[in-house]
């Protein structure tokens, strides 16, 4: 989350949700005074969750439930796959990482990529790949082949979440401008559809 943007946005939060604004200001002050790293990290998490609720409180019940349920489903499905693998695999919006150690350093090689409406797929192995890179590529290819159906379901849910945040959320109160909720999204750093993918979304709607 971008806390500088949050501070700049506080006057608008105060206008539309004064109670949340006071809580946010209090947490920001607590974080500034706190010197313990772990406690500062905990305050940051609480601050993010509070700003996220500030955003979702602006939404209609249907939009809020859709976003919440989709996010929960993604997290649960990712957890199931990652926990069953138990080999450092981490699923995210852009692809799959596998955390491992090499020469005493943590690396996260990724050969499984994801794109909007195309899902997860194996990227080509670069020419001149080392033996270690080939072994890692084969390991991730094995993971992909075993989990591709579940990965595709996760990807569909990620697409849906991107569509909600980019286009489809509805604001419950006409007095709340969309420019305000868009600033909250920017502050939180929520993923949106990239510009290159927006035409695909329009084509999808036309074909429905």
């Amino acid at each position: 989350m971008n806390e500088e943007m949050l501070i700049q946005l506080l006057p608008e939060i105060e206008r539309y949700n004064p109670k949340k604004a006071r809580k946010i200001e209090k947490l920001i002050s607590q974080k500034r005074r706190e010197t313990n790293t772990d406690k500062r990290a905990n305050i940051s998490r609480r601050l993010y969750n509070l700003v996220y609720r500030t955003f979702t409180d602006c939404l209609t019940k249907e939009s809020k439930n859709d976003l919440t349920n989709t996010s929960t489903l993604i997290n649960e499905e990712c957890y199931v796959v990652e926990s069953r693998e138990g080999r450092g695999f981490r699923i995210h919006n852009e692809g799959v990482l596998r955390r491992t150690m090499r020469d005493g350093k943590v690396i996260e090689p990724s050969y499984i990529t994801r794109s909007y409406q195309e899902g997860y797929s194996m990227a080509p192995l670069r020419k001149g790949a080392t033996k270690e890179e080939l072994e890692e590529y084969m390991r991730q290819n094995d993971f992909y082949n075993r989990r591709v159906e579940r990965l595709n379901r996760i990807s569909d849910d990620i697409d849906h979440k991107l569509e909600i945040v980019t286009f489809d959320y509805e604001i419950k109160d006409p007095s709340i401008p969309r420019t305000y909720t868009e600033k909250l999204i920017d502050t939180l750093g929520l993923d949106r559809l990239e510009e290159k993918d927006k035409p695909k979304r329009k084509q999808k709607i036309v074909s429905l």
Side-chain angles (χ1 to χ4, degrees):
M1 182 174 68
N2 190 319
E3 292 187 15
E4 290 185 5
M5 291 179 66
L6 176 60
I7 292 170
Q8 294 175 4
L9 190 57
L10 269 175
E12 289 187 64
I13 299 175
E14 173 72 29
R15 186 183 312 154
Y16 300 112
N17 198 326
K19 186 176 180 180
K20 286 283 198 308
R22 288 192 294 272
K23 290 181 179 179
I24 290 170
E25 286 182 298
K26 183 177 179 180
L27 283 176
I28 290 174
S29 297
Q30 287 178 0
K31 185 175 179 180
R32 286 173 174 169
R33 294 192 304 269
E34 184 57 64
T35 58
N36 182 280
T37 302
D38 291 337
K39 289 182 179 179
R40 281 177 61 87
N42 181 57
I43 294 171
S44 292
R45 285 192 293 271
R46 290 166 59 196
L47 192 56
Y48 179 92
N49 291 336
L50 182 55
V51 178
Y52 187 83
R53 290 198 302 274
T54 303
F55 167 63
T56 57
D57 283 351
C58 296
L59 308 184
T60 62
K61 182 178 179 180
E62 292 77 12
S63 288
K64 183 176 181 178
N65 287 343
D66 195 9
L67 180 58
T68 300
N69 293 339
T70 303
S71 299
T72 300
L73 191 58
I74 292 169
N75 292 336
E76 289 176 348
E77 287 288 303
C78 288
Y79 175 78
V80 168
V81 175
E82 292 168 356
S83 60
R84 287 179 179 176
E85 287 298 321
R87 293 187 292 176
F89 284 99
R90 292 294 178 266
I91 303 167
H92 60 98
N93 283 15
E94 287 76 39
V96 178
L97 298 173
R98 195 181 81 87
R99 177 168 293 188
T100 185
M101 296 288 294
R102 185 180 297 169
D103 299 327
K105 297 181 180 180
V106 175
I107 61 171
E108 293 182 321
S110 178
Y111 298 106
I112 304 172
T113 61
R114 197 198 80 86
S115 58
Y116 178 62
Q117 294 186 5
E118 302 298 326
Y120 291 91
S121 61
M122 289 297 300
L125 182 64
R126 73 176 184 87
K127 293 181 179 179
T130 65
K131 179 182 177 181
E132 290 80 8
E133 288 173 332
L134 177 59
E135 289 175 349
E136 181 60 35
Y137 185 87
M138 297 306 295
R139 187 178 290 111
Q140 293 196 27
N141 188 58
D142 174 65
F143 165 85
Y144 174 78
N145 288 330
R146 287 184 291 103
R147 304 296 185 185
V148 63
E149 290 186 9
R150 198 149 206 162
L151 287 173
N152 285 337
R153 292 200 297 270
I154 292 171
S155 185
D156 287 343
D157 290 331
I158 291 174
D159 284 354
H160 183 54
K161 183 177 179 180
L162 290 170
E163 291 165 358
I164 295 170
V165 175
T166 307
F167 296 114
D168 296 340
Y169 71 84
E170 296 180 349
I171 301 171
K172 65 182 179 182
D173 187 343
S175 68
I176 299 176
R178 201 172 186 88
T179 52
Y180 169 64
T181 55
E182 289 294 299
K183 289 176 185 176
L184 285 170
I185 291 171
D186 288 338
T187 301
L188 288 162
L190 299 181
D191 289 326
R192 293 187 180 97
L193 281 177
E194 296 181 17
E195 288 299 322
K196 64 181 178 63
D197 291 326
K198 289 181 179 179
K200 298 179 185 178
R201 163 64 170 168
K202 293 178 182 178
Q203 293 170 3
K204 178 181 176 181
I205 293 173
V206 170
S207 63
L208 291 177

